[in-house]
Amino acid sequence: MHPEARTIRQALLLIGALTLSLSSVASAQDGPTRIRIFDAVLTVHADGSLDVTEELTIRLAGESNEIVRDFSLRDDGARKGSTKLDVRILAVTDEDGQPLRTEEASADGGWARRLRIWIPGAGNADRRISIRYRVAGATHSANTGRTFAGLEDMRWNVTGNVDVPIDSLRVRVVLPSGARPIRTTVYTGAGEFAARGATTGKNGNEVSFALPGGLPPHQGIAIEVGWPAGYLHPKPSTSLWHRLASVLLWWPLLLPLIAFTVAYRVWDKTGRDPKEKSQVVRYEPVEGVSPAGLGRLVSGERESQMRLFAATMVDLAIRGFLRIEETTPNILLTLTKDVTAIAQSMLHGESGRIDYIIHFVRPRSEWKGLKWHEERLLEGLINAAPSDGITKHDSVRVSMLSNKFYVSVPEIIQAIEFELVAKGYIRKRPGGVNLKWVAYASIPLLVGGIAGRVVGSLLDLAWTWIFDEPAANSWMPLSDNKFLLGMLLSTLILIGFAAIMPSRSVAGARAREAALGFKEFLGRVGTMPSVELFERYLPYAIAFGVQSSWSRTFENVYVKAPEWYAGAMGENFSATSFGHRISDLSISAASSMSSSPSEDGRLRIEL
């Protein structure tokens, strides 16, 4: 080839190569958006939280002035599978420390936090930005089911799903003071393969990772660091969900409040007694009500039920159905007599060696005009009388009522209450109301005992599933019988209302006022000249517990023993002494009528 033509050809090739070189440089200058340097510092705190500071050097291509940063919320180190982490953005600033405009959104079906950052004037230029955020739950305590038990570890997806290339990546992890890293790993890719080319360095409680070769788009990287257990001391979470959960865990204590509210509303509607008016002294009992009925209306269940029985027995004697006789007791029965009765008799000047014989004056065919409880009392006395196997005797000792008469007590009390119900003085029979509410009260305790552990176990499982930690080691204990405690308090509340639930009607309130006025008269009356008045009102005085005061009133008037009572006082009879004998009769009857055999065969006495 001619030398001149060869020179021209070489010149053209040189110009073309130069043109391609300049085009390549220009293309490099106008290349796609990329992260030139990705520096991150991860600080692990003793409470288990993780503070992250990212320093990014970014090249934004063309006229673009925004970058998208995705933070993965998936924690694949949890025992039961992937759980969601709590990531809170603290600050996003430029290289001068000025805050940048950002926008947060959810991504990847809620498993990622997307942060869109605007960087003014960043087109075709390198810009440095800083992102600070805090992660709760990225650390795991010892023995949580991880592959390496006995360690505490931290696992974090450093880059998330980045859609731009990263030229250089450096990460530094600062562990709690004193902790020394034992295990360090760098993962990359969706399959979590060990990253090639990654370098690791250790210095005290710090670990550094570097990937000089960078990462292509959508190629995330995660790190994991393990250290000996004992350096993490998690504090109760202050998240809204944890605060709400800590409150909800005490829901069983709402059960007593519900029980109280329901019981109070029922009591306020049907169990509250009408407001009583002032009491006025009255000189006659409430018409048509027996002494036992008035005693029950005035005292309720606070006084001994046997006092009502003694009043009824004396009333039947005065009306000619019974006759009472003093006698010397059987020595064997005396040994079993209630000590309280003996002491009371001695205080009244008696020796305590008196027994009483109850004679049945009228046969059953002549029981006319008796109330139900009076018939039941007579039947109870007759059934307790000794028998020759064919016929019953016509009398019975009070001391022989032990272990026999007690079976008749519930029916007699029920009959007295039915008298008040029939008169309209009480809404329902108190014994039945009490029994019903005691039955209601037993339901929460039974349910609490049976279901308490089941509910506690379910709450334990729920806590473990939601918060990824054993409930037994959590700061909020669950299986501590809160449910059983709530049921027990509910039971106590219902038992308390059972005692006050029986109520009087308006007519009952007025009748009680009249009965209290009559009781005032019996206890404070002056000298009365009528013997008939003494006997007529004596059963009421016994039912009200004022028989001694009533007897003293007639000391100089009532000077002869009544026909229905045979005693040893003879010509030395006095109303005061007779009142003491009636008190002794009441005490003896109470101890004998209420006594029942115990399980071990010994005598059991209830007053």
Side-chain angles (χ1 to χ4, degrees), residues 551-564:
S551 300
R552 284 195 300 268
T553 302
F554 290 80
E555 177 61 31
N556 297 322
V557 177
Y558 199 68
V559 295
K560 182 181 179 180
E563 295 181 357
W564 53 268

PDB file of all heavy atoms in Angstrom, residues 551-564:
ATOM      1  N   SER A 551     -90.370 -10.240 133.224  1.00  0.00           N
ATOM      2  CA  SER A 551     -90.719 -10.929 134.461  1.00  0.00           C
ATOM      3  C   SER A 551     -90.530 -10.037 135.676  1.00  0.00           C
ATOM      4  O   SER A 551     -91.348 -10.050 136.617  1.00  0.00           O
ATOM      5  CB  SER A 551     -89.880 -12.207 134.595  1.00  0.00           C
ATOM      6  OG  SER A 551     -90.118 -13.086 133.516  1.00  0.00           O
ATOM      7  N   ARG A 552     -89.441  -9.282 135.710  1.00  0.00           N
ATOM      8  CA  ARG A 552     -89.202  -8.403 136.864  1.00  0.00           C
ATOM      9  C   ARG A 552     -90.309  -7.374 137.032  1.00  0.00           C
ATOM     10  O   ARG A 552     -90.600  -6.930 138.142  1.00  0.00           O
ATOM     11  CB  ARG A 552     -87.852  -7.698 136.703  1.00  0.00           C
ATOM     12  CG  ARG A 552     -86.656  -8.589 136.995  1.00  0.00           C
ATOM     13  CD  ARG A 552     -85.392  -7.754 137.177  1.00  0.00           C
ATOM     14  NE  ARG A 552     -85.082  -6.988 135.992  1.00  0.00           N
ATOM     15  CZ  ARG A 552     -84.286  -7.412 135.010  1.00  0.00           C
ATOM     16  NH1 ARG A 552     -83.756  -8.643 135.101  1.00  0.00           N
ATOM     17  NH2 ARG A 552     -84.036  -6.657 133.966  1.00  0.00           N
ATOM     18  N   THR A 553     -90.925  -6.993 135.940  1.00  0.00           N
ATOM     19  CA  THR A 553     -92.000  -6.010 136.005  1.00  0.00           C
ATOM     20  C   THR A 553     -93.170  -6.519 136.857  1.00  0.00           C
ATOM     21  O   THR A 553     -93.865  -5.747 137.518  1.00  0.00           O
ATOM     22  CB  THR A 553     -92.480  -5.678 134.584  1.00  0.00           C
ATOM     23  OG1 THR A 553     -91.383  -5.197 133.822  1.00  0.00           O
ATOM     24  CG2 THR A 553     -93.567  -4.631 134.604  1.00  0.00           C
ATOM     25  N   PHE A 554     -93.368  -7.833 136.887  1.00  0.00           N
ATOM     26  CA  PHE A 554     -94.512  -8.418 137.575  1.00  0.00           C
ATOM     27  C   PHE A 554     -94.109  -9.069 138.905  1.00  0.00           C
ATOM     28  O   PHE A 554     -94.784  -9.975 139.392  1.00  0.00           O
ATOM     29  CB  PHE A 554     -95.157  -9.480 136.673  1.00  0.00           C
ATOM     30  CG  PHE A 554     -95.861  -8.899 135.479  1.00  0.00           C
ATOM     31  CD1 PHE A 554     -95.155  -8.515 134.356  1.00  0.00           C
ATOM     32  CD2 PHE A 554     -97.235  -8.717 135.497  1.00  0.00           C
ATOM     33  CE1 PHE A 554     -95.794  -7.980 133.266  1.00  0.00           C
ATOM     34  CE2 PHE A 554     -97.891  -8.184 134.400  1.00  0.00           C
ATOM     35  CZ  PHE A 554     -97.168  -7.807 133.278  1.00  0.00           C
ATOM     36  N   GLU A 555     -93.007  -8.616 139.491  1.00  0.00           N
ATOM     37  CA  GLU A 555     -92.482  -9.248 140.699  1.00  0.00           C
ATOM     38  C   GLU A 555     -93.532  -9.301 141.817  1.00  0.00           C
ATOM     39  O   GLU A 555     -93.681 -10.304 142.508  1.00  0.00           O
ATOM     40  CB  GLU A 555     -91.232  -8.494 141.167  1.00  0.00           C
ATOM     41  CG  GLU A 555     -90.617  -9.012 142.455  1.00  0.00           C
ATOM     42  CD  GLU A 555     -90.152 -10.457 142.330  1.00  0.00           C
ATOM     43  OE1 GLU A 555     -89.758 -10.867 141.206  1.00  0.00           O
ATOM     44  OE2 GLU A 555     -90.200 -11.179 143.333  1.00  0.00           O
ATOM     45  N   ASN A 556     -94.277  -8.261 142.029  1.00  0.00           N
ATOM     46  CA  ASN A 556     -95.251  -8.215 143.122  1.00  0.00           C
ATOM     47  C   ASN A 556     -96.674  -8.480 142.654  1.00  0.00           C
ATOM     48  O   ASN A 556     -97.624  -8.330 143.432  1.00  0.00           O
ATOM     49  CB  ASN A 556     -95.191  -6.846 143.807  1.00  0.00           C
ATOM     50  CG  ASN A 556     -93.836  -6.587 144.440  1.00  0.00           C
ATOM     51  OD1 ASN A 556     -93.221  -7.503 145.004  1.00  0.00           O
ATOM     52  ND2 ASN A 556     -93.365  -5.346 144.353  1.00  0.00           N
ATOM     53  N   VAL A 557     -96.814  -8.862 141.397  1.00  0.00           N
ATOM     54  CA  VAL A 557     -98.145  -9.106 140.851  1.00  0.00           C
ATOM     55  C   VAL A 557     -98.328 -10.578 140.507  1.00  0.00           C
ATOM     56  O   VAL A 557     -99.344 -11.202 140.857  1.00  0.00           O
ATOM     57  CB  VAL A 557     -98.387  -8.229 139.596  1.00  0.00           C
ATOM     58  CG1 VAL A 557     -99.756  -8.533 138.986  1.00  0.00           C
ATOM     59  CG2 VAL A 557     -98.267  -6.758 139.948  1.00  0.00           C
ATOM     60  N   TYR A 558     -97.352 -11.136 139.876  1.00  0.00           N
ATOM     61  CA  TYR A 558     -97.429 -12.529 139.434  1.00  0.00           C
ATOM     62  C   TYR A 558     -96.803 -13.375 140.534  1.00  0.00           C
ATOM     63  O   TYR A 558     -95.598 -13.633 140.541  1.00  0.00           O
ATOM     64  CB  TYR A 558     -96.684 -12.676 138.106  1.00  0.00           C
ATOM     65  CG  TYR A 558     -97.043 -13.914 137.313  1.00  0.00           C
ATOM     66  CD1 TYR A 558     -98.299 -14.058 136.753  1.00  0.00           C
ATOM     67  CD2 TYR A 558     -96.113 -14.928 137.135  1.00  0.00           C
ATOM     68  CE1 TYR A 558     -98.632 -15.183 136.017  1.00  0.00           C
ATOM     69  CE2 TYR A 558     -96.417 -16.061 136.397  1.00  0.00           C
ATOM     70  CZ  TYR A 558     -97.691 -16.185 135.842  1.00  0.00           C
ATOM     71  OH  TYR A 558     -98.029 -17.298 135.116  1.00  0.00           O
ATOM     72  N   VAL A 559     -97.613 -13.850 141.487  1.00  0.00           N
ATOM     73  CA  VAL A 559     -97.094 -14.467 142.692  1.00  0.00           C
ATOM     74  C   VAL A 559     -97.433 -15.953 142.780  1.00  0.00           C
ATOM     75  O   VAL A 559     -97.092 -16.600 143.781  1.00  0.00           O
ATOM     76  CB  VAL A 559     -97.641 -13.744 143.945  1.00  0.00           C
ATOM     77  CG1 VAL A 559     -97.121 -12.310 143.994  1.00  0.00           C
ATOM     78  CG2 VAL A 559     -99.168 -13.770 143.960  1.00  0.00           C
ATOM     79  N   LYS A 560     -98.045 -16.497 141.771  1.00  0.00           N
ATOM     80  CA  LYS A 560     -98.432 -17.904 141.806  1.00  0.00           C
ATOM     81  C   LYS A 560     -98.051 -18.548 140.484  1.00  0.00           C
ATOM     82  O   LYS A 560     -98.252 -17.978 139.415  1.00  0.00           O
ATOM     83  CB  LYS A 560     -99.939 -18.020 142.048  1.00  0.00           C
ATOM     84  CG  LYS A 560    -100.426 -19.457 142.140  1.00  0.00           C
ATOM     85  CD  LYS A 560    -101.942 -19.487 142.361  1.00  0.00           C
ATOM     86  CE  LYS A 560    -102.438 -20.928 142.420  1.00  0.00           C
ATOM     87  NZ  LYS A 560    -103.918 -20.996 142.629  1.00  0.00           N
ATOM     88  N   ALA A 561     -97.482 -19.757 140.567  1.00  0.00           N
ATOM     89  CA  ALA A 561     -97.072 -20.461 139.356  1.00  0.00           C
ATOM     90  C   ALA A 561     -98.280 -20.733 138.469  1.00  0.00           C
ATOM     91  O   ALA A 561     -99.362 -21.074 138.974  1.00  0.00           O
ATOM     92  CB  ALA A 561     -96.375 -21.774 139.715  1.00  0.00           C
ATOM     93  N   PRO A 562     -98.121 -20.594 137.160  1.00  0.00           N
ATOM     94  CA  PRO A 562     -99.242 -20.859 136.257  1.00  0.00           C
ATOM     95  C   PRO A 562     -99.573 -22.346 136.216  1.00  0.00           C
ATOM     96  O   PRO A 562     -98.759 -23.201 136.569  1.00  0.00           O
ATOM     97  CB  PRO A 562     -98.716 -20.362 134.906  1.00  0.00           C
ATOM     98  CG  PRO A 562     -97.231 -20.490 135.012  1.00  0.00           C
ATOM     99  CD  PRO A 562     -96.899 -20.200 136.449  1.00  0.00           C
ATOM    100  N   GLU A 563    -100.794 -22.667 135.787  1.00  0.00           N
ATOM    101  CA  GLU A 563    -101.229 -24.053 135.732  1.00  0.00           C
ATOM    102  C   GLU A 563    -100.421 -24.872 134.724  1.00  0.00           C
ATOM    103  O   GLU A 563    -100.282 -26.078 134.866  1.00  0.00           O
ATOM    104  CB  GLU A 563    -102.715 -24.116 135.381  1.00  0.00           C
ATOM    105  CG  GLU A 563    -103.618 -23.496 136.447  1.00  0.00           C
ATOM    106  CD  GLU A 563    -105.088 -23.605 136.067  1.00  0.00           C
ATOM    107  OE1 GLU A 563    -105.358 -24.118 134.946  1.00  0.00           O
ATOM    108  OE2 GLU A 563    -105.945 -23.181 136.847  1.00  0.00           O
ATOM    109  N   TRP A 564     -99.911 -24.241 133.707  1.00  0.00           N
ATOM    110  CA  TRP A 564     -99.196 -24.972 132.655  1.00  0.00           C
ATOM    111  C   TRP A 564     -97.731 -25.251 133.015  1.00  0.00           C
ATOM    112  O   TRP A 564     -97.012 -25.880 132.246  1.00  0.00           O
ATOM    113  CB  TRP A 564     -99.253 -24.214 131.332  1.00  0.00           C
ATOM    114  CG  TRP A 564     -98.796 -22.767 131.425  1.00  0.00           C
ATOM    115  CD1 TRP A 564     -99.588 -21.692 131.668  1.00  0.00           C
ATOM    116  CD2 TRP A 564     -97.458 -22.280 131.295  1.00  0.00           C
ATOM    117  NE1 TRP A 564     -98.845 -20.530 131.697  1.00  0.00           N
ATOM    118  CE2 TRP A 564     -97.520 -20.876 131.461  1.00  0.00           C
ATOM    119  CE3 TRP A 564     -96.222 -22.875 131.057  1.00  0.00           C
ATOM    120  CZ2 TRP A 564     -96.398 -20.060 131.399  1.00  0.00           C
ATOM    121  CZ3 TRP A 564     -95.093 -22.068 130.994  1.00  0.00           C
ATOM    122  CH2 TRP A 564     -95.177 -20.670 131.153  1.00  0.00           C
TER     123      TRP A 564
END
